[in-house]
Amino acid sequence: MSDEELNKLAAEMQNIKPSEAARKRGMDAAMAAFDTEFAAQKDTALDPAEQKISNDFQGIAAEPRPTGQSTYTKHVQTSGSSLMSKFKNIMAFNQKTAMFMGGATAALMVGLVVFSNTPYQLPDQTSSEGYSSVSAEVQSEVADAKSKDDITIKSTKRQESAPAMQRPTPVPVKPGAPQSVDGLMADIGKNDAEAPAMNRSREQKFRTEQSQSAARAFGNVPAEQESGETRNDDRVLAKPAQSVERSIPAVTKTETRRILDKDGSYKTITETIVVQDATTELVTIPPVYKNRDRFEDFKPNPVTSAKDTPVSTFSIDVDTASYSFLRSSINRGQIPQPSAIRVEEMINYFPYDYEAPKSADEPFKANVTVTPSPWNADTKLMHIGIKGYVPPASERQSSNIVFLIDTSGSMNQANKLPLLINSFKLLLGTLDDDDTVSIVTYAGSAGTVLEPTPASDKNKINEALNRLSAGGSTAGAAGLELAYQKAAESFDADGVNRVILATDGDFNVGFSSNEEMKRFIEKKRESGIFLSVLGFGNGNYNDELMQTLAQNGNGVAAYIDSLSEANKVLADESGGALFTIAKDVKIQVEFNPATIAEYRLIGYETRALKREDFNNDKVDAGEINSGHTVTAIYEMTPVGSKAVTIDDLRYVSADARTTDTGSDEFAFVKIRHKLPNSDTSTLQTFPIGEAQERSLKRAGDDMRFATAVAIVGQKLRGDTQLADFSYKDAIKLANGAKGEDEHGYRAEFVQLVRLLDSLQQ
């Protein structure tokens, strides 16, 4: 290399700014090459008689020398030392410094020219010598990445400037291979043809994993991607997961400083300094699934003329699923569809301190109160409150319980099967040692996970629950048949025999229709085995089916959206979930047209009965379990009130339709019920008049709070009667009626209405 070329090279070196990683790789490779070259030159340049090298600074004689004796020196010229001498002359450095600079020059050239363009590649997987073998897991991942569909990704400035996933990795070197720059270049060039395809495969795999990770964070990742197993997912994809660019603004800071102006004076300036440039990043939006929640459609009860239809008949409803589903939806930032709102289930979700009966012979006691309506000064509200008998521990019946658990593919979500398992563990803690537990599951087929086992063997029962996993279709019919069979095997004639079904409500294999399923459950109900239903999850929740199952199985339908709700339903109120104290409970109210012009039953639309069904003991109705409270509210419009909405008929005389009894009663309430082991009903009656009237304040916290809940439920359905009454008014009414609120349910309701009010603004 000529002096002119060396001068040019030295000038270019001053402008080179390599990365630290490239500098280190180049330095290691270059110094190894120089060491090899100097060693070879040394072996060939020295005389055999001379054992050591002499240089410009020190001479070493072949023999030991005394002090003051001159020494013999010899300079051995090699191509390396010649190159260093030229650097020394050009840069006026000593030879050691020149040697260092020469090595650095070579290192920088290798780092910039070679390694910056080295493609990302894997070690040679076919070689067994000198290469670390690639694990089968990595090979599988690469194969999976190649087989997946291509993902279109927009390029960004950040990606163009060497993203982390494309940074080069050192090329493996076989033991014994010459560690020279030429050798490294040969190894690199050998795999250049394979590198682009491998880079695309790696990048595609990285993006796919990133998309799946984001989807898992939202609970939307399909099971086959998460566990590698095939599953039957009945969810319908509305919008797939997608990757989009999100702009990240520049990070700046403001600095104020004083500078010297041209005229010699100082002035203060403020500058905005960019700390980090604006850029973009790739964000994965999780998939969106169609909402396939199914509820029975119904129309709210209309205002009815007491002259035309003086009698109202309905079955009681102690279910609470509607309120729990509402809470779950609002906490997700959603307002449920109107058909999901059953006002009576919202009201009956909360415990009320009604007067209770004294013995099981009188399983419940009715409490009736009339108050002014808070949303209409010209109407009245009639509250019918019922509290079930709570037997002492000494009278507690033994239990024969079968857990019927849906383990189909649609249950493979955190708020379904995992929550279900923990919920049943809570119930297990409330059972006595002599109670019996069985576990039946159904998916593609039904099976017995746990044969009838004493509740005292909790370890065995918990182990069976922990083994459950989701996958397959939903063979609900086979599961029900097997669960009833297990209940019959351990039937307790003096105890409680109940199947507890836990599902998202999806039965897509088995019964041909809901009517066929109803007939099957009714037949089993007559044998003394009752059915309760616990619902889980959202997006594919079949509430309509669950209501059908529970109503015809003489059981309760509850929706479990959290472990605290499971604790409320299965632990705190375990008697309410298991022990029936009265069945086929019906309420009939006859209004007095002389005092009441119109009435409207708030809720119970799906529990309406015909007038003649009240006295027919063969017609099924709702059950009351131990400690349950039931509330029904009528809005009544007095005769002569400005709130009357139905005009008298022109051609039909009012006298022709009304019998004047001379009574000032508002209504006559009748309640029928059967004891759990009886087929004959018992009748209770209560005349309602001015003696039951109270001001809203004197009515007590229970009446006021139930009224606040009824207001919210009606507004959610869009009832016109509540158009001028706001959620804030309901919050104020509920806040003043929370009472003791031992478990915080009423305080939670107030907070829920605040969220609801925000969502609807």
Side-chain angles (χ1 to χ4, degrees), residues 53-117:
I53 300 173
S54 59
N55 55 37
D56 293 342
F57 304 100
Q58 133 181 339
I60 302 176
E63 301 294 340
R65 53 185 174 166
T67 303
Q69 183 179 348
S70 63
T71 59
Y72 167 79
T73 63
K74 180 179 180 180
H75 178 70
V76 179
Q77 188 74 14
T78 68
S79 58
S81 60
S82 176
L83 179 62
M84 294 301 100
S85 297
K86 290 181 180 180
F87 269 103
K88 172 186 175 183
N89 294 333
I90 294 171
M91 302 180 180
F93 292 154
N94 59 43
Q95 189 167 354
K96 286 184 177 180
T97 308
M99 178 176 287
F100 174 77
M101 292 301 298
T105 301
L108 295 177
M109 292 178 64
V110 170
L112 293 173
V113 177
V114 178
F115 288 101
S116 295
N117 297 312

Side-chain angles (χ1 to χ4, degrees), residues 138-369:
V138 174
Q139 296 180 36
S140 175
E141 290 179 358
V142 174
D144 290 343
K146 289 181 179 180
S147 65
K148 295 181 183 292
D149 294 337
D150 290 339
I151 299 175
T152 303
I153 305 170
K154 297 181 179 178
S155 61
T156 64
K157 292 182 179 179
R158 176 179 294 179
Q159 294 164 347
E160 291 171 356
S161 57
M165 66 176 182
Q166 293 179 339
R167 289 176 184 167
T169 57
V171 178
V173 179
K174 298 180 180 181
Q179 298 184 12
S180 64
V181 175
D182 291 341
L184 291 174
M185 290 292 291
D187 281 341
I188 292 168
K190 181 178 64 177
N191 296 298
D192 276 348
E194 302 175 4
M198 185 60 69
N199 279 346
R200 287 192 300 271
S201 175
R202 282 281 180 166
E203 182 175 1
Q204 179 173 318
K205 176 174 174 56
F206 176 82
R207 298 300 182 192
T208 303
E209 290 175 349
Q210 190 178 46
S211 174
Q212 293 176 3
S213 177
R216 276 191 292 271
F218 285 84
N220 289 325
V221 63
E224 60 268 20
Q225 294 180 12
E226 193 163 16
S227 64
E229 298 179 357
T230 302
R231 61 169 278 194
N232 177 45
D233 193 342
D234 294 322
R235 294 177 296 172
V236 177
L237 188 66
K239 190 176 183 181
Q242 57 181 330
S243 298
V244 298
E245 283 184 352
R246 182 177 68 180
S247 298
I248 302 176
V251 178
T252 62
K253 68 177 182 178
T254 302
E255 286 188 354
T256 301
R257 57 192 179 90
R258 288 168 56 83
I259 64 171
L260 184 64
D261 205 354
K262 294 180 180 179
D263 59 3
S265 62
Y266 285 92
K267 65 177 182 179
T268 302
I269 63 170
T270 301
E271 294 180 324
T272 300
I273 299 174
V274 177
V275 178
Q276 181 177 332
D277 293 334
T279 184
T280 59
E281 69 176 358
L282 198 65
V283 178
T284 302
I285 299 176
V288 177
Y289 295 93
K290 291 182 180 178
N291 188 342
R292 299 179 64 204
D293 296 331
R294 281 157 284 181
F295 295 87
E296 180 182 356
D297 289 328
F298 60 86
K299 293 182 179 180
N301 289 322
V303 175
T304 303
S305 169
K307 293 179 180 179
D308 297 333
T309 311
V311 178
S312 170
T313 309
F314 63 96
S315 163
I316 67 158
D317 182 6
V318 295
D319 296 343
T320 60
S322 181
Y323 178 80
S324 300
F325 187 85
L326 168 67
R327 178 181 58 205
S328 176
S329 298
I330 292 177
N331 286 333
R332 295 194 308 271
Q334 301 172 354
I335 299 176
Q337 59 212 68
S339 59
I341 306 301
R342 292 186 290 272
V343 181
E344 75 278 7
E345 293 188 16
M346 292 180 61
I347 297 171
N348 290 331
Y349 177 85
F350 302 93
Y352 301 102
D353 191 21
Y354 299 145
E355 185 179 354
K358 305 298 182 183
S359 70
D361 295 333
E362 184 186 11
F364 61 85
K365 185 169 184 176
N367 301 264
V368 184
T369 306

Side-chain angles (χ1 to χ4, degrees), residues 4 28 181 241 255-256 271 318 361 395 417 469 473 479 529 546 554 569 614 682 744:
E4 181 179 354
D28 293 342
V181 175
E255 286 188 354
T256 301
E271 294 180 324
V318 295
D361 295 333
E395 297 180 12
L417 186 59
S469 61
S473 58
I529 302 173
M546 293 179 57
N554 275 13
V569 173
F614 182 75
T682 301

Side-chain angles (χ1 to χ4, degrees), residues 20 35 87 119 217 295 338-339 567 580:
E20 288 299 327
D35 289 344
F87 269 103
F295 295 87
S339 59
N567 188 67
T580 300

Side-chain angles (χ1 to χ4, degrees), residues 463-493:
E463 287 174 2
L465 289 170
N466 291 334
R467 290 196 302 268
L468 300 180
S469 61
S473 58
T474 317
L480 275 174
E481 291 174 355
L482 183 57
Y484 277 115
Q485 176 184 328
K486 292 300 172 184
E489 290 176 5
S490 303
F491 188 82
D492 186 345

